[in-house]
Amino acid sequence: MDIQLKRGLLDVCVLAAIKNEESYGYKIIKDMKPYLEMSESTLYTILKRLELAEMLTVRSAEHGGRLRKYYKITPAGLNRIEDFKNEWREVMSIYRFVTKEESENA
């Protein structure tokens, strides 16, 4: 898969993982695990990129004697999810066109 496409997909997956409630790194990975595997280093790179793009906010709070970062989606992050849904409809339309001949020959 094209690395840029995969990068964009992973960004949207992380946003979707925090769409309904703020969350922290370990929980994000755990919530995504049934759908895809992601390393902590990959996740934290994505979280930093999304923070810089103002698609999420970060706050630190003490939990169990340690500081934990909590991530919350912003309106820009919600818009990115909606944009993705619209883009994906177009991708699926292209996919159906590309595979049309295969299904006709089956």
Side-chain angles (χ1 to χ4, degrees), residues 51-70:
E51 179 186 7
L52 291 172
E54 300 181 346
M55 292 188 197
L56 56 81
T57 58
V58 183
R59 73 174 179 89
S60 294
E62 189 175 323
H63 179 81
R66 298 177 52 194
L67 276 182
R68 178 185 280 174
K69 286 186 176 184
Y70 290 88

Side-chain angles (χ1 to χ4, degrees), residues 19-62:
K19 180 175 70 172
N20 297 321
E21 62 182 356
E22 73 175 5
S23 193
Y24 54 94
Y26 177 76
K27 185 171 183 319
I28 293 169
I29 288 174
K30 184 177 152 194
D31 291 345
M32 292 174 51
K33 194 170 187 128
Y35 306 99
L36 63 107
E37 294 285 326
M38 182 180 293
S39 69
E40 285 186 41
S41 61
T42 299
L43 174 64
Y44 288 109
T45 300
I46 292 168
L47 289 168
K48 189 64 179 170
R49 182 171 54 244
L50 293 172
E51 179 186 7
L52 291 172
E54 300 181 346
M55 292 188 197
L56 56 81
T57 58
V58 183
R59 73 174 179 89
S60 294
E62 189 175 323

